[in-house]
Amino acid sequence: QEAKAGAEQLAPIPPDTAKPVGEPSSWIKPSDYPGGALRAGEEGRARVTLAIDAAGKPTGCAVARSSGSWSLDNGTCSALMR
């Protein structure tokens, strides 16, 4: 009985098996661009790591490679967490 009960439990999904829904570049819209960064002419690309729960909802965001602008990095995570 004990072995059977353990066999019925679902194994955790490895992090590399999650697949994005849609094109990730479409997740952030022009209206997400931080106003201060826009006025200052800041540009860049932030690379982030997004943690998601089993339902696909974002639970955390960390900057893996900075854009060179705190405002853009923070804005990227803020937009993705919505």
Side-chain angles (χ1 to χ4, degrees):
Q1 289 284 351
E2 288 179 15
K4 185 177 180 183
E8 293 175 24
Q9 293 179 356
L10 296 176
I13 299 172
D16 60 343
T17 61
K19 303 287 186 238
V21 174
E23 177 58 39
S25 63
S26 70
W27 296 348
I28 298 180
K29 299 173 179 38
S31 60
D32 293 321
Y33 211 93
L38 188 61
R39 287 187 292 279
E42 295 177 355
E43 298 179 359
R45 292 181 183 217
R47 179 170 289 195
V48 299
T49 300
L50 190 64
I52 58 172
D53 65 16
K57 181 179 178 185
T59 59
C61 182
V63 176
R65 184 171 43 190
S66 176
S67 65
S69 163
W70 178 88
S71 182
L72 293 178
D73 295 348
N74 189 55
T76 300
C77 279
S78 293
L80 292 174
M81 291 299 293
R82 281 186 250 146

